[in-house]
Amino acid sequence: MKDGVINENTGKVWLAGAGPGDAGLLTVRAAELIESADIIVYDALISAELLSRIPRDTETVYVGKHAGNHPVPQAEISRILVREAKKGKKVLRLKGGDPFVFGRGGEELELLVREHIPYEVVPGVTSSVAVPAYAGIPVTHRDYTSSFHVITGHARADGTLSIDFDSLVRLNGTLVFLMGVSSMEMIMDGLTEAGMDPDMPAAVLERGTTAGQRRVIATVGTLKEEADRAEICTPAIILVGKVCALAEELHWAEDRPLGGRQFLLTRPRQNMSSLAKRLRDAGAQVIEMPAIHTEPVSPNEPLKSALIRFGQHEEDRWLVFTSPIGVNVFFGFLKEMKMDLRSVFCGKGTVRIGAIGSATADALCGYGLIPDAVPKTYSAGALGREIGKMSQPGEYVLIVRAENGSEDLIPPLTDRGLAVDDIPLYHTVYEVNPMLKEEAGRMFQRREIDAVTFTSASTVHGFVRAMGEMDYSGICAVCIGEQTARAAAEYGMRTETAEQASMDAMVRKITDLFGKSR
Ligand code: SAH
């Protein structure tokens, strides 16, 4: 168990709603549970954006439908929950929308009760209200309707509906049909036969709250035809009532600067969120699929002795960093070794600091070090040349960076007669998340992902390793620098490069390429 929430030996099940798709509509409680669960049992309505929030080492079980396959039967899902909880695990059963709104949540709890497995229910934002909201349709409005009703449009095995249309029409409220796409015609006919005006506004809202959301606004008489013309597919909800007409005026979601756009981010998890947050703030849907993560070299004897030597040096010398992660790992190491920075800097000559780009410089500033050399262009060669220019032969340069860092850094230093030590701080480990890989592969095929962002050549290699065999020529790669763009181009991707090596410049590039001017 990852935390101390439960102390008994039996586990517990959380039956939680994940909302309708937009990760921002996850409840705070569900987000906490995604972080802390031992195992997550999820189905088809969970978006890739949500899946990408599941930590790397959390076990997952997919119980939804695969193309052409049947979903896992309900009884089997309940048995999985019981089995895993009995192993003492914290089991998160994650369902689309709200678990008790046509989610069969009640059925899943029955076996838990019988088996005395403790559980909690975490309500979710239901699509029946949120999907209209994202289309600009309030389900109630004082001028038009004083109630709304959520109805299943799922047909019985014999193909008929068990809906009391007469009562529905008499209610005079907004009608929300879930699971109704394939019975749309029957529903519309049922309503008109029960006396509803065929000119009553109606809407069908597909994949609401996601980047792919679409709406068709028509009338009860024309909805089926209009939905067919637009080739509407599931998941979609059908809405009937005067409020539907408000969408024309109140629509907003796709009008945001990056509304309707979806990006896949491959940054290592440690520094993922700022870019993701900024793209989401601009209305984009963001899948975070880290292609690499870093592991500190530990224990790191070579670093320890290099730092002791550095501290005792009599000449002017340089300490050089080439990534924000490197900076954090370096200071993490000092902490672990209980080494004081003053002991590293105490020898005679001056100590100067080099940083490859502004993000690395920022990370150093956070520890009270303002770098002396930051090249204008973000590249290892430029950093080497910059330091070379600023130094005298015989000075000492200690580079602390990733294992297998770029070879371009060292020649400009040695050519200038500097003594160089290059000490690995961390290794890069390629990540594969099979669950996300499969979903992302499908999304690329359907061209649902507008661009993939890369912040180093190693994220490009990691991404390609994770995705395996596929056609990369359809992918737009937004890259942080030339070196990264070259790596992406080698796999046939279309590349776009940020003007500078910073997250600001990445966001600007993406907004220039995909944004709407308001
Ligand atoms: N428990 C879910 C509903 C499950 S039934 C909830 O509270 O939202 C599944 C139906 O929900 C789908 O057939 C569709 O009608 C609707 N639905 C779920 N997510 C949706 C979405 N993002 N956009 C449109 N309809 C959605």
Side-chain angles (χ1 to χ4, degrees):
M1 213 142 329
K2 287 185 193 165
D3 63 26
V5 173
I6 325 163
N7 298 317
E8 312 103 58
N9 287 335
T10 44
K12 183 164 174 174
V13 174
W14 280 260
L15 175 64
D22 179 346
L25 298 182
L26 203 61
T27 63
V28 173
R29 185 67 181 130
E32 278 168 8
L33 290 166
I34 287 176
E35 284 294 322
S36 63
D38 296 314
I39 177 166
I40 300 182
V41 181
Y42 69 101
D43 44 40
L45 278 176
I46 309 299
S47 66
E49 187 182 29
L50 283 170
L51 292 181
S52 75
R53 298 185 60 132
I54 299 176
R56 191 175 59 237
D57 52 355
T58 303
E59 202 182 326
T60 54
V61 183
Y62 176 72
V63 291
K65 234 183 280 193
H66 273 300
N69 288 340
H70 289 295
V72 177
Q74 198 58 51
E76 176 60 21
I77 298 175
S78 300
R79 274 197 295 275
I80 294 172
L81 300 181
V82 169
R83 185 187 69 210
E84 297 302 319
K86 281 192 170 167
K87 290 183 193 161
K89 290 187 187 169
K90 254 179 110 171
V91 184
L92 175 59
R93 170 68 175 118
L94 200 56
K95 298 176 83 82
D98 179 273
F100 280 178
V101 178
F102 300 120
R104 307 187 75 169
E107 290 163 62
E108 290 185 16
L109 295 186
E110 282 161 18
L111 191 61
L112 300 181
V113 172
R114 249 182 288 144
E115 299 277 343
H116 306 290
I117 308 280
Y119 62 82
E120 283 183 30
V121 180
V122 182
V125 172
T126 175
S127 64
S128 50
V129 177
V131 169
Y134 269 55
I137 304 176
V139 288
T140 70
H141 190 293
R142 285 222 307 204
D143 298 340
Y144 305 111
T145 170
S146 53
S147 64
F148 70 96
H149 313 274
V150 183
I151 306 132
T152 171
H154 192 65
R156 287 183 294 215
D158 65 1
T160 61
L161 293 171
S162 60
I163 300 177
D164 178 352
F165 287 106
D166 292 324
S167 305
L168 283 185
V169 172
R170 249 197 322 275
L171 285 164
N172 219 3
T174 304
L175 306 179
V176 186
F177 294 92
L178 302 189
M179 299 177 281
V181 175
S182 41
S183 20
M184 193 181 309
E185 192 162 17
M186 273 195 287
I187 296 171
M188 296 302 125
D189 289 349
L191 290 171
T192 32
E193 279 158 25
M196 186 174 275
D197 181 355
D199 290 335
M200 174 65 86
V204 56
L205 309 171
E206 182 194 83
R207 286 191 286 158
T209 81
T210 71
Q213 78 169 37
R214 296 197 299 154
R215 65 169 184 273
V216 171
I217 312 286
T219 64
V220 168
T222 59
L223 189 67
K224 167 73 176 143
E225 192 189 326
E226 296 288 333
D228 283 349
R229 182 168 320 145
E231 294 179 12
I232 291 290
C233 301
T234 57
I237 72 170
I238 299 169
L239 213 61
V240 175
K242 292 191 183 123
V243 288
C244 294
L246 292 170
E248 305 295 356
E249 195 187 347
L250 300 183
H251 59 81
W252 59 273
E254 44 290 284
D255 314 329
R256 292 170 293 173
L258 291 176
R261 298 297 190 178
Q262 178 145 242
F263 303 104
L264 190 143
L265 270 50
T266 60
R267 306 191 70 194
R269 228 174 255 280
Q270 289 98 322
N271 51 13
M272 184 80 86
S273 43
S274 74
L275 183 57
K277 180 176 182 321
R278 294 175 61 180
L279 297 176
R280 285 194 180 115
D281 282 348
Q285 200 163 17
V286 177
I287 303 166
E288 296 175 78
M289 189 173 98
I292 56 173
H293 72 271
T294 52
E295 279 174 6
V297 174
S298 177
N300 196 336
E301 281 306 320
L303 176 63
K304 189 175 168 192
S305 41
L307 288 176
I308 292 170
R309 278 200 310 277
F310 194 87
Q312 292 162 349
H313 248 276
E314 299 291 311
E315 296 84 35
D316 290 350
R317 56 206 190 278
W318 287 87
L319 185 59
V320 177
F321 296 87
T322 63
S323 70
I325 294 170
V327 174
N328 292 333
V329 172
F330 178 82
F331 283 96
F333 174 84
L334 291 190
K335 183 176 173 193
E336 196 183 299
M337 300 306 297
K338 294 208 164 28
M339 220 174 192
D340 192 304
L341 193 55
R342 287 169 295 185
S343 74
V344 179
F345 291 171
C346 70
K348 254 205 218 136
T350 50
V351 174
R352 285 185 288 179
I353 309 283
I356 196 164
S358 58
T360 307
D362 271 354
L364 284 164
C365 286
Y367 292 100
L369 296 176
I370 298 180
D372 303 87
V374 185
K376 283 208 176 60
T377 39
Y378 173 92
S379 83
L383 176 61
R385 285 190 295 279
E386 183 81 10
I387 293 173
K389 254 193 296 182
M390 295 168 70
S391 322
Q392 298 303 320
E395 286 183 24
Y396 172 62
V397 181
L398 174 59
I399 304 167
V400 285
R401 59 171 176 169
E403 192 177 56
N404 303 324
S406 163
E407 285 169 9
D408 301 346
L409 178 55
I410 301 191
L413 301 171
T414 45
D415 289 353
R416 178 84 181 129
L418 308 180
V420 179
D421 266 329
D422 184 7
I423 306 284
L425 284 180
Y426 60 91
H427 339 263
T428 299
V429 181
Y430 293 109
E431 271 193 40
V432 182
N433 177 335
M435 163 185 74
L436 257 188
K437 171 204 157 166
E438 218 176 286
E439 187 58 25
R442 270 195 294 274
M443 296 174 82
F444 280 119
Q445 262 175 11
R446 296 195 298 249
R447 306 216 169 248
E448 288 174 0
I449 295 174
D450 293 285
V452 182
T453 67
F454 295 107
T455 47
S456 66
S458 53
T459 59
V460 177
H461 302 309
F463 171 72
V464 169
R465 229 186 247 210
M467 295 306 299
E469 192 93 11
M470 67 176 245
D471 176 15
Y472 289 95
S473 67
I475 293 184
C476 171
V478 179
C479 303
I480 199 158
E482 288 306 331
Q483 213 173 321
T484 309
R486 270 201 301 279
E490 269 169 37
Y491 296 104
M493 296 181 215
R494 259 181 312 121
T495 63
E496 295 283 350
T497 310
E499 305 297 333
Q500 287 131 23
S502 71
M503 285 309 125
D504 283 343
M506 289 289 278
V507 173
R508 263 200 309 280
K509 188 83 210 173
I510 291 171
T511 316
D512 286 350
L513 289 168
F514 300 102
K516 300 180 189 65
S517 45
R518 299 219 78 194

